[in-house]
Amino acid sequence: MSLVDGFIAGSVAGAAGLIVGHPFDTVKVRLQTCPSYQGVSHCFRRIVAEEGVRALFRGMAAPLASVSVMNAIFFGLYDNVLQNLDPNKDKPKISSAYIAGTLSGIAAGLVSGPVELIKCRLQVASKVSIIPTAKLTNRDIIRTIIEQDGLRGLTRGIEVTIYRELISCGLYFATYEAIIQFFRGEDKTLGELNPLHLLAAGGTAGMVSWGVNYPVDVVKSRIQIDGFRGPAIYTSSASCFRQLRSEVGWRGLYRGVTATLVRAFPTNAVMLPAYSITMTLLEGFRNHHLTYQ
């Protein structure tokens, strides 16, 4: 896989996943951080009624700008680690897929940490900002963070973001590979599978990884908006988790999970197929171009 191909395919896959899933992500973050909402449908209706449909896509610019780099690293590192762990890359061991996914998740977390920070603060800005939300930009958020905490402030929550990604990505690729191998059986190749098999595998893997890992994401969101409303109240991710568990219990740590699972299936169902199809088209275009040189 060339760097350029990975960059292009990562851009296409990431953009497809973001456009499908971002409104649900906005609802998820609001539910995680704003107790006034009574559930997914109530939150969705209030956002649209009070702020308009565009508010559901607020904060999308930052992840959209970084998605090509992040996905090129994410998929590229996964492929390379898997090749080194398992000589049978076409049908690898599930444990190899898990390890490769975990390592790619660490790299993805390093990139996505600051991006998630900007995104989360824009998504809750209408509840805390004195700047008119329609005029609030990524630049405003970045400037506010640097003024308050210096450049180091842009790494707020990066540790728990990395932790979230390494758990999530390991589970995602292991589950995806297990489902794909189940569909393939003993004699089918990957190319012989029905496209619906790929969509089902990607969507189910996304739901599993998010469902298991959701409390970590709640802590991440709380940590990253902490200090945006006023003085910071959490000293660490561990203190945030302990405080939330004592206040709302385990059930409260799954607040907003419905929106996440609804978002996870279509987002992950389209992302891996979009990446694979784009890579196949690029490879075909290159081979065709070389043939006629």
Side-chain angles (χ1 to χ4, degrees):
M1 182 185 77
S2 77
L3 185 61
V4 174
D5 285 358
F7 190 85
I8 295 170
S11 299
V12 173
L18 271 173
I19 291 167
V20 170
H22 194 80
F24 296 104
D25 187 69
T26 298
V27 172
K28 177 205 75 171
V29 172
R30 291 286 186 95
L31 285 168
Q32 288 176 336
T33 58
C34 303
S36 60
Y37 298 113
Q38 297 171 9
V40 173
S41 61
H42 177 251
C43 179
F44 182 87
R45 289 195 307 269
R46 274 191 56 187
I47 292 172
V48 173
E50 296 173 5
E51 305 169 49
V53 174
R54 287 182 64 184
L56 293 168
F57 293 90
R58 189 171 296 129
M60 193 170 74
L64 195 60
S66 66
V67 74
S68 53
V69 175
M70 190 167 73
N71 279 1
I73 294 170
F74 178 61
F75 288 111
L77 185 58
Y78 174 77
D79 282 341
N80 281 288
V81 172
L82 192 61
Q83 284 176 354
N84 285 286
L85 286 175
D86 203 319
N88 184 17
K89 184 175 175 266
D90 179 60
K91 214 168 188 178
K93 296 175 183 176
I94 306 304
S95 58
S96 298
Y98 179 80
I99 294 168
T102 297
L103 293 175
S104 69
I106 294 172
L110 287 168
V111 177
S112 66
V115 173
E116 287 274 320
L117 173 65
I118 297 164
K119 174 188 73 71
C120 284
R121 293 199 170 192
L122 272 171
Q123 286 173 320
V124 301
S126 66
K127 299 296 177 185
V128 300
S129 180
I130 59 172
I131 302 174
T133 307
K135 298 180 180 180
L136 200 64
T137 65
N138 292 327
R139 187 176 298 178
D140 295 322
I141 296 294
I142 294 169
R143 184 172 63 248
T144 301
I145 292 169
I146 294 174
E147 286 174 354
Q148 289 178 342
D149 303 311
L151 286 173
R152 188 177 180 181
L154 291 170
T155 65
R156 182 170 186 81
I158 196 167
E159 299 92 345
V160 70
T161 304
I162 292 171
Y163 188 57
R164 182 196 72 173
E165 294 294 340
L166 70 88
I167 297 173
S168 179
C169 295
L171 284 172
Y172 176 76
F173 279 111
T175 305
Y176 179 80
E177 193 58 49
I179 296 171
I180 287 295
Q181 291 189 24
F182 172 77
F183 285 143
R184 288 177 63 179
E186 295 296 327
D187 53 355
K188 284 186 179 179
T189 66
L190 187 62
E192 291 174 327
L193 289 182
N194 188 304
L196 291 177
H197 288 149
L198 300 179
L199 294 174
T204 304
M207 291 181 75
V208 169
S209 64
W210 273 104
V212 171
N213 203 30
Y214 189 75
V216 180
D217 188 62
V218 174
V219 172
K220 180 205 73 71
S221 295
R222 289 295 187 103
I223 286 287
Q224 290 188 319
I225 69 159
D226 190 32
F228 191 35
R229 304 171 188 267
I233 59 175
Y234 303 120
T235 58
S236 66
S237 300
S239 74
C240 177
F241 174 76
R242 287 193 299 268
Q243 186 169 331
L244 286 174
R245 191 178 60 177
S246 67
E247 290 175 355
V248 299
W250 281 102
R251 185 175 179 180
L253 285 168
Y254 277 89
R255 178 175 165 83
V257 71
T258 303
T260 298
L261 295 180
V262 170
R263 161 186 173 266
F265 191 92
T267 299
N268 289 280
V270 302
M271 194 165 69
L272 258 179
Y275 182 85
S276 300
I277 291 168
T278 305
M279 288 294 288
T280 301
L281 289 173
L282 290 170
E283 185 178 349
F285 175 79
R286 182 180 293 104
N287 292 338
H288 178 80
H289 179 71
L290 290 173
T291 301
Y292 287 94
Q293 273 189 335

